[in-house]
Amino acid sequence: MSETEKFDAIIIGAGPAGIACAYTLAKAGKEVLVIERADNPGGKNLTGGRLYTYALEMLEEGLSEEAALERKVTHEQIMILSEGRGTTIDYFDSGFSPYEGPPQSYTVLRARFDEWLAGKAEEVGANIVCGIRVDDVIEEAGKIKGIIAGDDEIYSDIVIAADGVNSFIAQRAGLIPDIPASSVGVGVKEIIQLDTSVIEERFHLQDGEGAARMILGCTEGLHGGGFLYTNIDTISLGLVLMPEEVAAAGKPVAELFQEFKNHPAIYPLIAGGSTVEYGAHLVSEDGYHGLPKKLYREGLLLVGDAAGFVINSGYSIRGIDLAILSGIAAANGICASSDIAKAGPQYIKEMEKLNLLPTLKAASGYRDLLNIPRIYSNYPYLANDFLGNLFTVNGEVAAPMKKSLKALLKKHNISFWQLFKDGLRGYRAL
Amino acid sequence: MSIEKMTTTELLSLNKFNVDEEEAHIILDKNICAKCDDKPCLYVCPALLYKLDKDGNISFDYAGCLECGTCRLVCKAKGITKWVYPRGTFGVSFRYG
Ligand SMILES: Cc1cc2nc3c(=O)[nH]c(=O)nc-3n(C[C@H](O)[C@H](O)[C@H](O)COP(=O)(O)OP(=O)(O)OC[C@H]3O[C@@H](n4cnc5c(N)ncnc54)[C@H](O)[C@@H]3O)c2cc1C
Ligand code: SF4
C-alpha cells in the first residue's frame, strides 16, 4: 500500500482498549484499521472477570444495556481461607443494580464480550481484521509510520499499541524494557458449567443477579489470591500468583490451583458442574508504580494493559474499564490534534480529563499493602482461628478472649509490634 | 469426568487449539536448560508443558500452550531462545475467556 492510501490510525489488538479507541475514532469519521492475531476478537483474551459499566457508558450512553455481559453484581464477597476453614463476608447492595440507569458492574466472559464490542465498532465504520499477528512497527526518521505483519507493510498517521500486558510492540518501539517477572501475576482459571438455577441457589441470587468474590489465604502463603465470579450458567474460578515466588517455592501453579479448587469451602460451590475451559493470562501488579515513563512517542500511543493500566486493590481488580477509558482518551487526543505530532501530549491531557491517571495515582498505595507477606498466610489463618475459638463450645471453661487472642498471635508468629506496624502500613497505603 | 483434581492433560483437552505444525512459537536450547539449576519453567507454566525426562533433562511441547508468556519472563538462564505469539489464527482460541 502506498503512502497516499494510508489509514488515519492502525490499532494493534482488538481487546477493550483497542476496540474502544477504534469505536471513538470511527465515530469521528476517521479511517481506522484494527489488527488482531486471534481468529475472532476475544479469542486470546482472558480476565477474572467483571466489568464496571461506567466505562462502557462513557464510550456510548446506553451501550451497557445491550452488551454481551453475564450477571449484574449485587453481592460483593471477600473470603478468607485456611486449612479446612473459611470465612465469607457477603455484602449485598440492591443499589448496585438500580431500576433506572445501568447496574454498576456485570460479570463478563471475554470471548463473547470482545466479539460483541468489536461488532459495535464495525457498525460505526471501523475496519477489523482478525487472524493476523503484527510483527513490528515501521520507523522512519525517528517516527512510527505504520506496522509490519509478515510480508505486509501498512502505513498510518498514527499507531496505537493495544496489544495487552505482554506488549512486544511497546518494547520494539523502545517505550518499555522487557517486563520484569516481579511486576506481573499469572492468573489461571477454569470455566465451570452449572445450571442457572443451581448457581442462583448456591449464591443466594435473584434472577440475573451475580456475585463477585475475592479469596485470600488460598495460596499456601504465597503472594496472590483467588477469585470467583458467577456467570449466567458458568462459574469463573481462578487463582493469581507471582511467578517468581511460585518458582522459588517449587510448587506448580497448576497444582496450587487444583488444591484451591478442592478446598472444602470452595468445592461445594462447583460440585456437580463440568469444566469447559482452562486458561491463563498475565496481569500487571504494579499499578501506578509500574507505568512506563513515556506513554507515547511520535506516531505511537500505548493504551490499556500495554500501558500497564491495572488497579489491584486486593478486593477487586480493574483493568477492562481502564482499558476502555484509555482507548477513548487516545482517540480524543488524536481527534483534538490538527498536528498529529501533538497527539501524544494531548492523549495524556485527555486521560487526566477522564480521571484515568488520577484514579491510578489514588490507588497507588495498594501495592505496598499487598506486599506485606503476612496478608497471605499469618493474617487470614489468624482470623479463621480466632473465629474458630469464638464459636467453639465443648464443655470446657473457655479462656478469656484476650488470652486466646494473645495465644493465637504467638501461634501465628505475629508480635503486637508487627501488628501495629502492618496496621500503620495499611492505614498509610489506603 | 469428575471435576475434582484434574490433570492439565484433561484440562487442555477441553480447549480449542489450532496447533501450528510448521512453526514452533517457543524454542528452547536444551544445552542451556541442562546447565540451569532452578528450572523455574517447571513450576510457573499453568499448562505444565515443561517436564523433566528420566535423565533429568527438560522436555517441552508447545502444543497446549495457553500463550500467557510466564515461562519467558522467569527464564533467567535464557534457555528459551525464541518466544513469540503463534502466527495469526494458530494457537489457543478461548470460547469463554
Ligand atoms: C486473571 C485475571 C483477572 C482479571 N480480572 C479482572 C476483572 O475482574 N476486571 C477487570 O476490569 N480487569 C481484570 N483483569 C485485567 C483485564 O483483563 C485487563 O486489564 C484487560 O483485558 C486489558 O485490556 P486490553 O485491551 O488492554 O488488553 P487485552 O484484553 O489483553 O487485549 C490485547 C489484544 O491484542 C492482541 N494482540 C496482542 N499482540 C498482538 C499482535 N502482535 N498482533 C495482533 N494482535 C495482538 C491480543 O490477541 C488481544 O486481543 C484481570 C486480568 C487477569 C489476567
Ligand atoms: S506461555 Fe504460558 S502456557 Fe505457554 S509454555 Fe509458557 S508458561 Fe506454559
Side-chain angles (χ1 to χ4, degrees):
Chain A
M1 185 177 281
S2 75
E3 272 271 2
T4 47
E5 289 171 296
K6 69 183 182 184
F7 286 90
D8 292 326
I10 293 175
I11 297 166
I12 306 168
I19 296 293
C21 188
Y23 186 97
T24 312
L25 284 173
K27 255 190 86 178
K30 303 277 185 196
E31 245 340 278
V32 205
L33 176 65
V34 183
I35 306 177
E36 166 59 47
R37 68 186 185 91
D39 263 342
N40 294 303
K44 300 289 184 184
N45 301 344
L46 177 145
T47 196
R50 96 153 83 203
L51 167 79
Y52 289 97
T53 53
Y54 79 95
L56 267 186
E57 293 295 309
M58 251 185 223
L59 186 59
E60 178 85 64
E61 212 181 299
L63 211 51
S64 48
E65 221 168 294
E66 50 168 306
L69 295 165
E70 298 291 312
R71 289 173 178 273
K72 54 191 178 197
V73 177
T74 47
H75 288 255
E76 298 283 352
Q77 305 176 334
I78 296 173
M79 190 179 206
I80 300 166
L81 296 180
S82 51
E83 203 180 334
R85 305 173 188 211
T87 303
T88 308
I89 299 169
D90 178 6
Y91 174 73
F92 170 72
D93 193 338
S94 59
F96 284 159
S97 157
Y99 287 105
E100 278 172 48
Q104 172 174 282
S105 69
Y106 278 89
T107 53
V108 63
L109 293 167
R110 288 290 300 281
R112 293 173 188 173
F113 174 76
D114 290 11
E115 192 165 13
W116 168 81
L117 193 59
K120 283 284 153 196
E122 280 177 327
E123 279 175 25
V124 294
N127 305 291
I128 302 179
V129 293
C130 291
I132 294 175
R133 182 188 66 195
V134 173
D135 298 315
D136 210 341
V137 284
I138 304 170
E139 189 175 335
E140 287 171 10
K143 296 174 195 160
I144 304 298
K145 295 277 190 175
I147 62 96
I148 303 171
D151 296 330
D152 294 322
E153 293 192 350
I154 314 176
Y155 285 83
S156 61
D157 284 339
I158 194 150
V159 174
I160 293 105
D163 55 335
V165 57
N166 200 7
S167 176
F168 288 114
I169 299 299
Q171 286 176 37
R172 298 213 63 108
L175 282 176
I176 57 168
D178 200 357
I179 43 174
S182 61
S183 72
V184 289
V186 51
V188 278
K189 171 176 168 184
E190 275 182 40
I191 302 283
I192 298 152
Q193 199 153 48
L194 271 170
D195 280 349
T196 297
S197 60
V198 173
I199 293 177
E200 289 175 353
E201 252 168 55
R202 283 184 192 173
F203 291 87
H204 314 293
L205 307 171
Q206 305 281 338
D207 185 29
E209 286 183 352
R213 184 181 297 198
M214 301 300 267
I215 305 158
L216 210 57
C218 54
T219 52
E220 300 203 355
L222 302 177
H223 185 153
F227 60 82
L228 184 155
Y229 295 93
T230 56
N231 306 313
I232 295 169
D233 61 356
T234 56
I235 283 176
S236 297
L237 182 71
L239 194 63
V240 178
L241 292 155
M242 302 302 285
E244 283 178 326
E245 279 203 28
V246 170
K251 185 140 185 195
V253 168
E255 230 169 85
L256 285 163
F257 177 57
Q258 290 305 308
E259 275 166 26
F260 160 58
K261 189 173 97 176
N262 281 280
H263 187 286
I266 294 289
Y267 190 72
L269 301 171
I270 54 164
S274 48
T275 299
V276 288
E277 189 169 271
Y278 181 63
H281 205 281
L282 291 178
V283 54
S284 299
E285 291 285 343
D286 279 352
Y288 188 73
H289 301 276
L291 297 190
K293 286 204 182 63
K294 284 205 76 178
L295 295 166
Y296 63 87
R297 54 177 285 192
E298 200 171 332
L300 183 80
L301 310 179
L302 305 185
V303 295
D305 271 9
F309 295 151
V310 177
I311 296 174
N312 179 3
S313 60
Y315 54 84
S316 81
I317 302 185
R318 288 171 58 184
I320 308 173
D321 55 327
L322 306 182
I324 292 174
L325 289 195
S326 66
I328 300 172
N332 290 345
I334 293 167
C335 293
S337 309
S338 45
D339 172 9
I340 200 72
K342 305 259 165 60
Q346 191 61 37
Y347 166 44
I348 306 295
K349 282 190 201 142
E350 298 290 338
M351 279 197 284
E352 295 285 344
K353 273 196 224 164
L354 295 182
N355 275 338
L356 175 59
L357 293 175
T359 301
L360 274 156
K361 195 167 178 193
S364 64
Y366 287 116
R367 189 186 64 163
D368 269 354
L369 183 66
L370 298 176
N371 275 341
I372 299 175
R374 287 165 292 282
I375 287 196
Y376 305 102
S377 50
N378 313 52
Y379 292 143
Y381 302 165
L382 171 78
N384 279 337
D385 271 5
F386 179 73
L387 290 171
N389 285 1
L390 196 71
F391 294 121
T392 298
V393 175
N394 57 9
E396 284 173 20
V397 180
M401 206 102 91
K402 259 189 303 191
K403 206 173 153 194
S404 127
L405 185 60
K406 229 170 133 182
L408 284 179
L409 283 171
K410 201 167 164 208
K411 174 181 165 196
H412 293 288
N413 279 321
I414 307 166
S415 65
F416 276 112
W417 175 232
Q418 188 65 265
L419 196 62
F420 173 73
K421 275 202 306 191
D422 286 348
L424 196 65
R425 214 166 137 185
Y427 177 75
R428 286 205 181 119
L430 301 176
Chain B
M1 195 184 320
S2 152
I3 65 163
E4 269 177 72
K5 285 214 174 149
M6 292 170 77
T7 64
T8 48
T9 314
E10 283 171 324
L11 288 164
L12 295 173
S13 74
L14 304 168
N15 289 355
K16 190 175 157 207
F17 288 105
N18 180 15
V19 180
D20 188 347
E21 306 286 356
E22 280 166 30
E23 201 180 302
H25 69 288
I26 303 175
I27 294 176
L28 313 184
D29 180 339
K30 300 264 171 85
N31 293 320
I32 300 178
C33 297
K35 289 187 210 117
C36 168
D37 292 329
D38 297 340
K39 297 190 176 34
C41 51
L42 293 176
Y43 310 107
V44 301
C45 174
L48 281 178
L49 298 179
Y50 295 83
K51 298 193 175 84
L52 282 182
D53 66 18
K54 55 181 181 346
D55 303 318
N57 296 318
I58 290 278
S59 74
F60 173 75
D61 182 359
Y62 63 91
C65 174
L66 301 166
E67 300 165 35
C68 65
T70 317
C71 54
R72 188 181 71 85
L73 297 182
V74 297
C75 182
K76 296 281 185 300
K78 301 276 176 242
I80 299 179
T81 53
K82 173 184 174 187
W83 196 108
V84 295
Y85 287 125
R87 293 189 292 168
T89 75
F90 288 108
V92 69
S93 279
F94 293 128
R95 291 161 294 127
Y96 297 86

